[in-house]
Amino acid sequence: MTINVNDTIVTIKELVNINSPSGFADPAIEYCQKFAEALNYETSLTHKGGLLINVPGKNDDKQRVITAHVDTLGAIVKDIKEDGRLKLDLIGGFSWNAIEGEYCTITTQSGLEISGTICLHETSVHVYKNNTEIPRDAEHMEVRIDEKVFSADDTRNLGIEIGDSVSFEPRFEHTASGFVKSRHLDDKASVAMIIQFLKYLKEENVELPHTTQFYISNNEEIGYGANSNISDKVVELIAFDMGALGDGQASDEYTVSICVKDGSGPYHVGLRNHFVDLCKENDIKYKLDIYPYYASDASAALRAGADIRHGLFGPGIESSHALERTHEDSILESENLLRAYCLSEINS
């Protein structure tokens, strides 16, 4: 069965439009669980809210975990200002300038969703001279709520309170030239590919050589998404996550990116070499790369003491943790490597 990238992109669109900042990712986890259960996969939830999808294989003694995360960057209401606007605290590692001017959604404790815009307090150039020199930080950035509010009490009467989640408008687009533009491609693009792979296994009645658990994690952006609930039988854990692009990087938007080393240290060299061999054998276009300011659920599992071989590969994502972009080509090559790896034998 050939890979239909358009099906994957449809799933990406559905996922990025589900608000799920770290700490508030239950709706996206529920989406994935319902999809897996509709295909009659066995699923379970960890106590911290991650999703495990179990796919039995011929060999149950040596198992794999493939993890991708459905949680995203976001924010949380830190304070309600005297004029009714909101001060924010950021969730995940990104800069304020990446969200200036972005539309957002405040989700209250009761589940009510209220729209707003993330603004510099001193936005108007007709009022604030030299506002380009004002720092974009927690003291100067705020949420302008799309309701008639004039005081903190007005805002609280809407149901908004400290601790409510703030999600960013994804602005998804699929261009005629094959680009996919959206916030939260990190890492919902990879989750969408896993969903399509699970569908392929059922439709083609394919049995994996090794029992594999697909771990959809919900706290990766804050450092501890899939570092627990790993069976002693697991030999290899793969973070299916984005490749970071920029000056000095080898990754691009048209190949699958294989991580050699990130901020946590080198990834398992034997497993890395296995990825490369699979790419060569299956004519999969790839790039090897180092991400200097990066960590993954695979490295978090090692820090937690898991005795595993760890690896990382995924699509190349331009402008990570901002207005992200990738291409159909990178999605295709990443899906090809996911399929080739899962269908290969574990090298003991």
Side-chain angles (χ1 to χ4, degrees), residues 98 102 169-171 182-183 318-325:
E102 188 57 273
E169 172 64 35
R171 294 201 269 169
S182 179
R183 291 189 186 274
E318 166 63 29
S319 298
S320 60
H321 285 197
L323 294 171
E324 297 170 342
R325 190 184 78 167

Side-chain angles (χ1 to χ4, degrees), residues 62-326:
K62 290 184 178 181
Q63 299 184 6
R64 288 176 164 133
V65 169
I66 312 290
T67 180
H69 65 93
V70 79
D71 64 306
T72 70
L73 306 174
I76 193 168
V77 176
K78 183 181 184 298
D79 193 15
I80 302 175
K81 302 174 71 172
E82 290 183 1
D83 63 0
R85 296 191 178 194
L86 307 178
K87 293 184 70 172
L88 296 179
D89 193 34
L90 302 183
I91 297 174
F94 62 104
S95 57
W96 285 98
N97 67 286
I99 57 170
E100 183 176 1
E102 188 57 273
Y103 294 162
C104 64
T105 300
I106 307 105
T107 304
T108 69
Q109 185 177 359
S110 67
L112 180 66
E113 293 187 343
I114 299 170
S115 66
T117 304
I118 301 169
C119 304
L120 179 71
H121 178 78
E122 303 88 346
T123 290
S124 177
V125 296
H126 299 97
V127 178
Y128 301 99
K129 185 179 181 180
N130 298 327
N131 72 342
T132 56
E133 299 174 8
I134 296 171
R136 273 57 178 170
D137 58 23
E139 293 304 311
H140 294 272
M141 301 292 287
E142 62 188 15
V143 174
R144 180 185 68 200
I145 304 168
D146 296 329
E147 297 288 342
K148 288 185 176 181
V149 295
F150 306 97
S151 68
D153 286 343
D154 289 342
T155 297
R156 285 194 162 92
N157 288 337
L158 294 172
I160 295 174
E161 192 47 87
I162 293 169
D164 289 343
S165 71
V166 178
S167 307
F168 311 144
E169 172 64 35
R171 294 201 269 169
F172 175 93
E173 286 187 28
H174 182 199
T175 72
S177 54
F179 288 100
V180 178
K181 305 192 297 182
S182 179
R183 291 189 186 274
H184 314 318
L185 295 179
D186 171 22
D187 187 33
K188 290 183 174 180
S190 298
V191 175
M193 288 185 247
I194 285 176
I195 286 174
Q196 292 303 314
F197 180 65
L198 292 172
K199 185 178 176 183
Y200 154 75
L201 293 177
K202 285 292 184 178
E203 290 181 348
E204 297 298 311
N205 196 28
V206 175
E207 185 179 14
L208 295 178
H210 296 271
T211 294
T212 302
Q213 293 191 9
F214 293 88
Y215 193 152
I216 310 301
S217 77
N218 62 330
N219 288 294
E220 193 274 349
E221 293 292 0
I222 51 178
Y224 57 91
N227 59 354
S228 61
N229 306 86
I230 299 169
S231 167
D232 291 339
K233 294 182 179 181
V234 172
V235 177
E236 297 176 348
L237 188 149
I238 309 304
F240 191 30
D241 210 332
M242 51 148 259
L245 279 58
D247 294 341
Q249 299 300 122
S251 300
D252 58 35
E253 297 173 85
Y254 314 106
T255 59
V256 59
S257 184
I258 299 171
C259 182
V260 175
K261 175 185 179 294
D262 65 13
S264 68
Y267 282 72
H268 191 275
V269 64
L271 197 49
R272 180 270 304 270
N273 291 341
H274 182 49
F275 297 155
V276 171
D277 289 342
L278 289 171
C279 288
K280 291 178 178 178
E281 292 167 10
N282 294 278
D283 195 27
I284 299 169
K285 298 179 178 62
Y286 72 95
K287 294 289 177 65
L288 297 174
D289 212 350
I290 293 172
Y291 317 140
Y293 311 112
Y294 189 115
S296 73
D297 272 340
S299 54
L302 282 185
R303 285 199 177 100
D307 183 18
I308 52 167
R309 295 194 286 266
H310 73 314
L312 167 62
F313 64 85
I317 302 292
E318 166 63 29
S319 298
S320 60
H321 285 197
L323 294 171
E324 297 170 342
R325 190 184 78 167
T326 191

